[in-house]
């Protein structure tokens, strides 16, 4: 993440700014730019969203969104994958999905990009957990490993292709291993 401004803005001022590409996040009064996704990142993100929604969408359990801005507490962040339980998906007055998400993800997933600051990314996952998120994953395509974050627990480091990945209770039907995630990189 690259700091894009030394000028301190309030969260409300930040939210009035136009969206940018790459995406910017508001963390501790600073605007930080996320790196542009690259091939491995994009492939894992797309396949993961398909896998999650294949189980969660038909039964209206939850929905996985790519890069949905979530504003809560004093941050406005854009995780690579945001999973919200169906009952928590924000709606507008017409019952359509709202454009603005003013809540934490139920499950936050980050996919590390080359040269991305791991500590900053982990900080966002921990921030989510401290505000109600059930589960966080940090996927590293280069090392083919996944850090799993659960509330009030030490992170789990998973790198064996047969390791089962923890999922939120509301998606207990979803069965994925470390190998499943990284096999998506093969063409």
């Amino acid at each position: 993440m690259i700091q894009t401004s030394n000028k301190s803005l309030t969260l409300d001022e930040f939210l009035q700014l136009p969206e940018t590409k790459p995406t910017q996040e508001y963390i501790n009064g600073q605007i930080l730019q996320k790196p542009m996704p690259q091939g491995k990142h994009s492939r894992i993100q797309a396949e993961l969203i398909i896998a999650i929604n294949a189980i969660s969408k038909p039964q209206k359990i939850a929905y996985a969104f790519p890069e949905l801005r979530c504003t809560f507490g004093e941050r406005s962040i854009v995780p690579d994958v945001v999973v919200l339980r169906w009952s928590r998906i924000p709606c507008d007055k017409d019952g359509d999905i709202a454009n603005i998400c003013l809540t934490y993800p139920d499950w936050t997933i980050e996919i590390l990009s080359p040269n991305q600051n791991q500590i900053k990314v982990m900080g966002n996952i921990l921030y989510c957990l401290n505000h109600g998120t059930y589960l966080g994953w940090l996927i590293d395509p280069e090392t083919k490993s996944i850090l799993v974050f659960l509330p009030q627990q030490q992170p789990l480091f998973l790198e064996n292709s047969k390791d089962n990945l923890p999922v939120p209770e509301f998606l207990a039907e979803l069965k994925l291993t470390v190998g499943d995630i990284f096999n998506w990189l093969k063409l």
Side-chain angles (χ1 to χ4, degrees):
M1 291 185 186
I2 302 166
Q3 186 173 342
T4 61
S5 174
N6 286 330
K7 181 184 176 212
S8 184
L9 295 176
T10 67
L11 179 56
D12 287 336
E13 290 169 332
F14 170 77
L15 293 173
Q16 297 304 312
L17 297 174
E19 286 289 343
T20 62
K21 285 194 179 192
T23 302
Q24 294 179 333
E25 297 182 309
Y26 181 86
I27 300 170
N28 299 328
Q30 296 180 333
I31 299 172
L32 302 173
Q33 185 175 4
K34 288 189 76 167
M36 283 296 288
Q38 296 181 1
K40 292 179 182 183
H41 176 286
S42 295
R43 180 72 181 247
I44 290 171
Q45 180 185 39
E47 295 295 334
L48 193 51
I49 288 169
I50 291 167
I52 293 167
N53 286 338
I55 301 268
S56 65
K57 183 182 169 190
Q59 299 174 52
K60 295 185 176 182
I61 297 168
Y63 195 83
F65 296 89
E67 300 180 15
L68 177 67
R69 178 175 300 287
C70 295
T71 302
F72 58 97
E74 291 299 316
R75 290 190 184 193
S76 186
I77 61 172
V78 184
D80 294 322
V81 178
V82 169
V83 179
L84 291 171
R85 287 177 292 137
W86 203 269
S87 62
R88 294 190 64 247
I89 297 172
C91 294
D92 64 19
K93 61 180 174 22
D94 296 325
D96 295 336
I97 187 164
N99 280 327
I100 297 173
C101 182
L102 299 176
T103 191
Y104 57 87
D106 290 308
W107 179 10
T108 184
I109 302 168
E110 293 283 5
I111 304 156
L112 210 56
S113 295
N115 302 318
Q116 192 172 18
N117 186 313
Q118 295 176 5
I119 299 297
K120 295 268 188 197
V121 176
M122 284 190 275
N124 272 352
I125 293 170
L126 294 172
Y127 188 82
C128 289
L129 291 172
N130 289 332
H131 283 82
T133 297
Y134 297 106
L135 178 67
W137 285 2
L138 176 56
I139 300 171
D140 186 343
E142 295 306 315
T143 64
K144 293 188 171 40
S145 60
I146 301 174
L147 271 175
V148 176
F149 297 84
L150 295 155
Q152 308 300 315
Q153 294 184 33
Q154 187 170 333
L156 302 170
F157 177 74
L158 303 175
E159 63 180 341
N160 184 309
S161 65
K162 294 182 182 175
D163 286 340
N164 291 313
L165 290 164
V167 297
E169 285 183 24
F170 60 86
L171 281 176
E173 284 184 54
L174 180 65
K175 308 290 184 204
L176 289 170
T177 65
V178 170
D180 292 331
I181 301 296
F182 297 114
N183 283 337
W184 289 331
L185 297 176
K186 297 184 185 327
L187 295 177

